[in-house]
Amino acid sequence: MTANTAPEKKTEADYIKWVDFTVPENLLKTALDIDLSTYGSEEPHIDWIELLAYLGAKYGGDFSRYKRKDLDSAVGRAKDGESISQQAADMQYFSYYREAYDAVLGGLVGEFETETETEEGWEQQYGLKGCSPIASTFPYSDYDDFGAGRSYGYKRKHLGHDMMAQVGTPVIAVESGVVEALGWNQYGGWRIGIRSFDGKRYHYYAHLRQNRPYAEGLAVGQTVMAGDVIGYVGRTGYSLTENTNNINVSHLHYGLQLIFDESQKEGNNEIWVDVYALCNLLRRHQSAVQRDDATKEWAAVQRQREEIPDDCFVPSSQPTEETS
């Protein structure tokens, strides 16, 4: 078995430097439904990321130009045997959008297994395996706050998404991956960083609960599956003093960083994307949880699992300061 400690080092010209992920929620849902309805059918399977990349290339990433007839035309041609990649053969930037959107969405749809009460114990599925960051039945409120101003420490833009919820609300792993960071930083308070198996996505969960921020046993290097309870909403952070509640309103800060080259992990070259539309999409797959009264811990009612690749990302060291 081999292990990647980071995405392959590339020359500066070889990797993507910036991504604006502006695909609207309704288009994400439509493309996903097309993917799911064509998988395993007699019709050609239409991959939702390829379809979105085709439209991204067509509009130059400006989805204010989106027209449903363009999607319907591409889907119709694909069903007639002309694949999306064939249709995009003359599009100069299709390969860019294909790589960029795969970096954002690549771990959310595919084959996985869910726990059952059958003799086999697990059932194979294809579909949306990514989960909402907030557990099912727990209320939260949000709006698109990506890029809003922040002033603690220094003036900066908010590079994540705040989901307002009560203290103790279970926080869910959006995607299966490896715990890369745990602990305190002055901006995010108690936080968790989880890297996707392919190393391209860093999921950041911050402002977790005072005193008991994490699910019991969570540790750096541990593998978690989408749908697992990883921690609990709180209001820690904005302090150099560990375990301090300096956030006025309890909420989860959820952020998604893209990493095409490990040099982008920290510093001025970080790529964070707006996940508001994505979080709304993930409302259709919220993890149901149950409480163990003895330990006061929450856990998924129906676990899910997926194959861990041989070249799975392995953390080499903890990141330093993510901001929120």
Side-chain angles (χ1 to χ4, degrees), residues 41-63:
S41 71
E42 295 181 357
E43 298 176 326
H45 177 229
I46 299 174
D47 181 279
W48 72 315
I49 298 175
E50 283 200 344
L51 181 57
L52 293 172
Y54 171 86
L55 294 171
K58 185 176 182 65
Y59 304 135
D62 179 7
F63 283 94

mmCIF file of all heavy atoms in Angstrom, residues 41-63:
data_model
loop_
_atom_site.group_PDB
_atom_site.id
_atom_site.type_symbol
_atom_site.label_atom_id
_atom_site.label_comp_id
_atom_site.label_asym_id
_atom_site.label_seq_id
_atom_site.Cartn_x
_atom_site.Cartn_y
_atom_site.Cartn_z
ATOM 1 N N SER A 41 -28.799 2.826 -15.764
ATOM 2 C CA SER A 41 -29.962 2.708 -16.648
ATOM 3 C C SER A 41 -29.508 2.296 -18.047
ATOM 4 O O SER A 41 -28.312 2.158 -18.320
ATOM 5 C CB SER A 41 -30.708 4.037 -16.717
ATOM 6 O OG SER A 41 -29.959 4.997 -17.442
ATOM 7 N N GLU A 42 -30.463 2.116 -18.936
ATOM 8 C CA GLU A 42 -30.124 1.784 -20.314
ATOM 9 C C GLU A 42 -29.549 2.981 -21.061
ATOM 10 O O GLU A 42 -28.878 2.817 -22.077
ATOM 11 C CB GLU A 42 -31.368 1.254 -21.037
ATOM 12 C CG GLU A 42 -31.879 -0.077 -20.471
ATOM 13 C CD GLU A 42 -33.101 -0.582 -21.214
ATOM 14 O OE1 GLU A 42 -33.573 0.129 -22.131
ATOM 15 O OE2 GLU A 42 -33.574 -1.683 -20.883
ATOM 16 N N GLU A 43 -29.816 4.165 -20.558
ATOM 17 C CA GLU A 43 -29.272 5.376 -21.170
ATOM 18 C C GLU A 43 -27.810 5.556 -20.753
ATOM 19 O O GLU A 43 -27.391 5.048 -19.709
ATOM 20 C CB GLU A 43 -30.072 6.599 -20.727
ATOM 21 C CG GLU A 43 -31.524 6.581 -21.137
ATOM 22 C CD GLU A 43 -32.284 7.771 -20.576
ATOM 23 O OE1 GLU A 43 -31.957 8.219 -19.456
ATOM 24 O OE2 GLU A 43 -33.207 8.230 -21.259
ATOM 25 N N PRO A 44 -27.019 6.290 -21.540
ATOM 26 C CA PRO A 44 -25.645 6.587 -21.125
ATOM 27 C C PRO A 44 -25.640 7.366 -19.811
ATOM 28 O O PRO A 44 -26.477 8.246 -19.601
ATOM 29 C CB PRO A 44 -25.107 7.455 -22.276
ATOM 30 C CG PRO A 44 -25.967 7.124 -23.454
ATOM 31 C CD PRO A 44 -27.325 6.823 -22.894
ATOM 32 N N HIS A 45 -24.715 7.016 -18.931
ATOM 33 C CA HIS A 45 -24.617 7.738 -17.665
ATOM 34 C C HIS A 45 -24.050 9.127 -17.905
ATOM 35 O O HIS A 45 -23.030 9.289 -18.580
ATOM 36 C CB HIS A 45 -23.716 6.980 -16.687
ATOM 37 C CG HIS A 45 -23.511 7.697 -15.397
ATOM 38 N ND1 HIS A 45 -22.275 7.889 -14.823
ATOM 39 C CD2 HIS A 45 -24.404 8.288 -14.563
ATOM 40 C CE1 HIS A 45 -22.401 8.552 -13.695
ATOM 41 N NE2 HIS A 45 -23.685 8.817 -13.515
ATOM 42 N N ILE A 46 -24.694 10.138 -17.343
ATOM 43 C CA ILE A 46 -24.247 11.526 -17.479
ATOM 44 C C ILE A 46 -23.704 11.983 -16.136
ATOM 45 O O ILE A 46 -24.444 12.135 -15.164
ATOM 46 C CB ILE A 46 -25.403 12.434 -17.933
ATOM 47 C CG1 ILE A 46 -25.917 11.959 -19.303
ATOM 48 C CG2 ILE A 46 -24.945 13.893 -18.021
ATOM 49 C CD1 ILE A 46 -27.153 12.702 -19.783
ATOM 50 N N ASP A 47 -22.411 12.179 -16.079
ATOM 51 C CA ASP A 47 -21.731 12.593 -14.855
ATOM 52 C C ASP A 47 -22.048 14.058 -14.573
ATOM 53 O O ASP A 47 -21.862 14.927 -15.434
ATOM 54 C CB ASP A 47 -20.224 12.391 -15.027
ATOM 55 C CG ASP A 47 -19.445 12.770 -13.787
ATOM 56 O OD1 ASP A 47 -19.200 13.977 -13.600
ATOM 57 O OD2 ASP A 47 -19.090 11.875 -13.021
ATOM 58 N N TRP A 48 -22.513 14.345 -13.346
ATOM 59 C CA TRP A 48 -22.961 15.706 -13.052
ATOM 60 C C TRP A 48 -21.821 16.714 -13.087
ATOM 61 O O TRP A 48 -22.016 17.863 -13.478
ATOM 62 C CB TRP A 48 -23.705 15.755 -11.727
ATOM 63 C CG TRP A 48 -22.909 15.605 -10.458
ATOM 64 C CD1 TRP A 48 -21.924 14.703 -10.180
ATOM 65 C CD2 TRP A 48 -23.059 16.393 -9.271
ATOM 66 N NE1 TRP A 48 -21.461 14.860 -8.902
ATOM 67 C CE2 TRP A 48 -22.146 15.887 -8.312
ATOM 68 C CE3 TRP A 48 -23.894 17.454 -8.904
ATOM 69 C CZ2 TRP A 48 -22.031 16.420 -7.028
ATOM 70 C CZ3 TRP A 48 -23.786 17.981 -7.629
ATOM 71 C CH2 TRP A 48 -22.855 17.478 -6.708
ATOM 72 N N ILE A 49 -20.601 16.288 -12.729
ATOM 73 C CA ILE A 49 -19.473 17.217 -12.744
ATOM 74 C C ILE A 49 -19.098 17.578 -14.178
ATOM 75 O O ILE A 49 -18.826 18.745 -14.484
ATOM 76 C CB ILE A 49 -18.280 16.615 -11.984
ATOM 77 C CG1 ILE A 49 -18.648 16.388 -10.512
ATOM 78 C CG2 ILE A 49 -17.057 17.515 -12.098
ATOM 79 C CD1 ILE A 49 -17.582 15.696 -9.696
ATOM 80 N N GLU A 50 -19.101 16.594 -15.068
ATOM 81 C CA GLU A 50 -18.829 16.891 -16.478
ATOM 82 C C GLU A 50 -19.882 17.824 -17.066
ATOM 83 O O GLU A 50 -19.567 18.737 -17.821
ATOM 84 C CB GLU A 50 -18.765 15.599 -17.292
ATOM 85 C CG GLU A 50 -17.473 14.833 -17.127
ATOM 86 C CD GLU A 50 -17.229 13.862 -18.270
ATOM 87 O OE1 GLU A 50 -18.179 13.570 -19.021
ATOM 88 O OE2 GLU A 50 -16.081 13.405 -18.403
ATOM 89 N N LEU A 51 -21.135 17.588 -16.697
ATOM 90 C CA LEU A 51 -22.213 18.434 -17.199
ATOM 91 C C LEU A 51 -22.052 19.871 -16.700
ATOM 92 O O LEU A 51 -22.189 20.829 -17.482
ATOM 93 C CB LEU A 51 -23.553 17.856 -16.750
ATOM 94 C CG LEU A 51 -24.817 18.591 -17.195
ATOM 95 C CD1 LEU A 51 -24.890 18.703 -18.711
ATOM 96 C CD2 LEU A 51 -26.054 17.875 -16.659
ATOM 97 N N LEU A 52 -21.737 20.036 -15.421
ATOM 98 C CA LEU A 52 -21.531 21.377 -14.878
ATOM 99 C C LEU A 52 -20.292 22.033 -15.481
ATOM 100 O O LEU A 52 -20.289 23.247 -15.737
ATOM 101 C CB LEU A 52 -21.400 21.301 -13.351
ATOM 102 C CG LEU A 52 -22.661 20.881 -12.596
ATOM 103 C CD1 LEU A 52 -22.346 20.654 -11.126
ATOM 104 C CD2 LEU A 52 -23.777 21.909 -12.757
ATOM 105 N N ALA A 53 -19.242 21.255 -15.722
ATOM 106 C CA ALA A 53 -18.033 21.797 -16.335
ATOM 107 C C ALA A 53 -18.304 22.262 -17.765
ATOM 108 O O ALA A 53 -17.767 23.292 -18.208
ATOM 109 C CB ALA A 53 -16.920 20.751 -16.315
ATOM 110 N N TYR A 54 -19.122 21.515 -18.484
ATOM 111 C CA TYR A 54 -19.504 21.912 -19.841
ATOM 112 C C TYR A 54 -20.195 23.278 -19.814
ATOM 113 O O TYR A 54 -19.883 24.175 -20.614
ATOM 114 C CB TYR A 54 -20.421 20.848 -20.445
ATOM 115 C CG TYR A 54 -21.056 21.241 -21.759
ATOM 116 C CD1 TYR A 54 -20.396 21.034 -22.974
ATOM 117 C CD2 TYR A 54 -22.326 21.818 -21.796
ATOM 118 C CE1 TYR A 54 -20.979 21.397 -24.179
ATOM 119 C CE2 TYR A 54 -22.916 22.189 -22.989
ATOM 120 C CZ TYR A 54 -22.245 21.971 -24.177
ATOM 121 O OH TYR A 54 -22.830 22.335 -25.376
ATOM 122 N N LEU A 55 -21.131 23.441 -18.893
ATOM 123 C CA LEU A 55 -21.847 24.711 -18.802
ATOM 124 C C LEU A 55 -20.925 25.820 -18.287
ATOM 125 O O LEU A 55 -21.014 26.971 -18.739
ATOM 126 C CB LEU A 55 -23.058 24.562 -17.890
ATOM 127 C CG LEU A 55 -24.148 23.623 -18.419
ATOM 128 C CD1 LEU A 55 -25.209 23.373 -17.346
ATOM 129 C CD2 LEU A 55 -24.795 24.183 -19.686
ATOM 130 N N GLY A 56 -20.025 25.481 -17.356
ATOM 131 C CA GLY A 56 -19.063 26.465 -16.886
ATOM 132 C C GLY A 56 -18.190 26.979 -18.014
ATOM 133 O O GLY A 56 -17.932 28.185 -18.134
ATOM 134 N N ALA A 57 -17.725 26.068 -18.864
ATOM 135 C CA ALA A 57 -16.907 26.462 -20.007
ATOM 136 C C ALA A 57 -17.720 27.281 -21.011
ATOM 137 O O ALA A 57 -17.211 28.239 -21.609
ATOM 138 C CB ALA A 57 -16.320 25.229 -20.671
ATOM 139 N N LYS A 58 -18.968 26.916 -21.189
ATOM 140 C CA LYS A 58 -19.839 27.626 -22.136
ATOM 141 C C LYS A 58 -20.079 29.071 -21.708
ATOM 142 O O LYS A 58 -20.099 29.988 -22.538
ATOM 143 C CB LYS A 58 -21.178 26.898 -22.259
ATOM 144 C CG LYS A 58 -22.129 27.479 -23.307
ATOM 145 C CD LYS A 58 -23.388 26.635 -23.427
ATOM 146 C CE LYS A 58 -24.307 27.178 -24.512
ATOM 147 N NZ LYS A 58 -23.712 27.073 -25.864
ATOM 148 N N TYR A 59 -20.229 29.278 -20.383
ATOM 149 C CA TYR A 59 -20.546 30.613 -19.873
ATOM 150 C C TYR A 59 -19.337 31.341 -19.306
ATOM 151 O O TYR A 59 -19.490 32.447 -18.777
ATOM 152 C CB TYR A 59 -21.608 30.504 -18.763
ATOM 153 C CG TYR A 59 -22.870 29.809 -19.166
ATOM 154 C CD1 TYR A 59 -23.442 28.848 -18.329
ATOM 155 C CD2 TYR A 59 -23.524 30.082 -20.366
ATOM 156 C CE1 TYR A 59 -24.611 28.189 -18.674
ATOM 157 C CE2 TYR A 59 -24.688 29.437 -20.728
ATOM 158 C CZ TYR A 59 -25.225 28.488 -19.880
ATOM 159 O OH TYR A 59 -26.391 27.842 -20.228
ATOM 160 N N GLY A 60 -18.160 30.748 -19.378
ATOM 161 C CA GLY A 60 -16.993 31.373 -18.769
ATOM 162 C C GLY A 60 -17.134 31.513 -17.267
ATOM 163 O O GLY A 60 -16.580 32.437 -16.655
ATOM 164 N N GLY A 61 -17.879 30.578 -16.648
ATOM 165 C CA GLY A 61 -18.076 30.600 -15.212
ATOM 166 C C GLY A 61 -19.129 31.576 -14.738
ATOM 167 O O GLY A 61 -19.402 31.658 -13.534
ATOM 168 N N ASP A 62 -19.759 32.299 -15.660
ATOM 169 C CA ASP A 62 -20.778 33.292 -15.304
ATOM 170 C C ASP A 62 -22.156 32.662 -15.444
ATOM 171 O O ASP A 62 -22.760 32.681 -16.518
ATOM 172 C CB ASP A 62 -20.652 34.517 -16.206
ATOM 173 C CG ASP A 62 -21.703 35.580 -15.906
ATOM 174 O OD1 ASP A 62 -22.438 35.425 -14.914
ATOM 175 O OD2 ASP A 62 -21.787 36.550 -16.677
ATOM 176 N N PHE A 63 -22.680 32.123 -14.346
ATOM 177 C CA PHE A 63 -23.935 31.380 -14.414
ATOM 178 C C PHE A 63 -25.171 32.279 -14.398
ATOM 179 O O PHE A 63 -26.295 31.777 -14.430
ATOM 180 C CB PHE A 63 -23.999 30.342 -13.296
ATOM 181 C CG PHE A 63 -23.158 29.132 -13.593
ATOM 182 C CD1 PHE A 63 -21.858 29.061 -13.127
ATOM 183 C CD2 PHE A 63 -23.654 28.090 -14.366
ATOM 184 C CE1 PHE A 63 -21.065 27.955 -13.419
ATOM 185 C CE2 PHE A 63 -22.876 26.987 -14.666
ATOM 186 C CZ PHE A 63 -21.573 26.914 -14.186
#
